[in-house]
Amino acid sequence: MVGVELEVGEEIEIEFTPPYSGEPIRVVSTVRNREGYRYGCEFMPEVQGTDQVGARLRQALQGFAEQKSP
């Protein structure tokens, strides 16, 4: 949820800190859908010219999934 007006198709940067991680991740994203101020975005890590951002995102999500598993 964002307090700004974005258009579907607009390219934006999103920065967030995944759970159990002290390092924020910044990734280029494309707005794919919108309902009011709620947006669905597609992460585009290849836009940065390196897969390091995508690898960090996958690693953070993997770690989060492992934390939630019994």
Side-chain angles (χ1 to χ4, degrees):
M1 188 168 210
V2 196
V4 297
E5 296 272 343
L6 300 172
E7 297 295 325
V8 172
E10 188 171 344
E11 193 173 278
I12 61 171
E13 286 188 22
I14 297 175
E15 182 175 292
F16 61 96
T17 303
Y20 310 106
S21 172
E23 290 289 318
I25 294 176
R26 178 176 283 202
V27 64
V28 173
S29 304
T30 302
V31 178
R32 294 296 182 201
N33 58 59
R34 173 184 178 185
E35 185 178 320
Y37 288 102
R38 294 183 298 186
Y39 298 91
C41 296
E42 178 181 7
F43 293 158
M44 311 293 283
E46 65 276 3
V47 172
Q48 277 82 1
T50 179
D51 195 40
Q52 290 179 358
V53 172
R56 284 189 60 213
L57 181 56
R58 284 189 297 278
Q59 182 180 21
L61 293 173
Q62 179 76 25
F64 182 68
E66 290 171 0
Q67 292 284 336
K68 298 205 59 107
S69 297

